[in-house]
Amino acid sequence: MISYSPLFETMKKKNVSSYRLEKMGFSRATYYSIRKGNSVSTNTIDLLCKLLECNVADVITYIDDDAESLNEIE
């Protein structure tokens, strides 16, 4: 699964609030969709990278669901 936890860490490091992100041109609805863990387009990831001046890895990361499930079984 894709996790957006790096985005929130990056925003914190750069002292960018959701309000400031909106003022920079990022949709509030899209931000709240991300907070809920919904999927977004690569265009959205591109915009976040541009606005936050960061790399994709600073916005999203991949977590292997199967590995997580195996750990729960053990």
Side-chain angles (χ1 to χ4, degrees), residues 7-73:
L7 168 63
F8 307 116
E9 292 171 23
T10 300
M11 288 175 64
K12 187 175 181 176
K13 285 179 194 172
K14 293 183 177 268
N15 200 26
V16 175
S17 65
S18 59
Y19 177 78
R20 183 165 170 218
L21 200 58
E22 181 181 2
K23 291 300 178 189
M24 296 167 76
F26 193 76
S27 163
R28 179 181 289 208
T30 303
Y31 176 79
Y32 285 114
S33 183
I34 289 171
R35 291 287 301 175
K36 291 180 182 179
N38 296 329
S39 62
V40 295
S41 71
T42 53
N43 289 335
T44 298
I45 301 299
D46 180 63
L47 178 58
L48 284 168
C49 290
K50 180 188 260 184
L51 295 175
L52 296 172
E53 298 177 354
C54 65
N55 293 312
V56 173
D58 297 322
V59 176
I60 60 174
T61 190
Y62 172 73
I63 299 171
D64 187 352
D65 290 340
D66 291 337
E68 221 173 83
S69 298
L70 289 175
N71 289 335
E72 290 175 5
I73 294 171

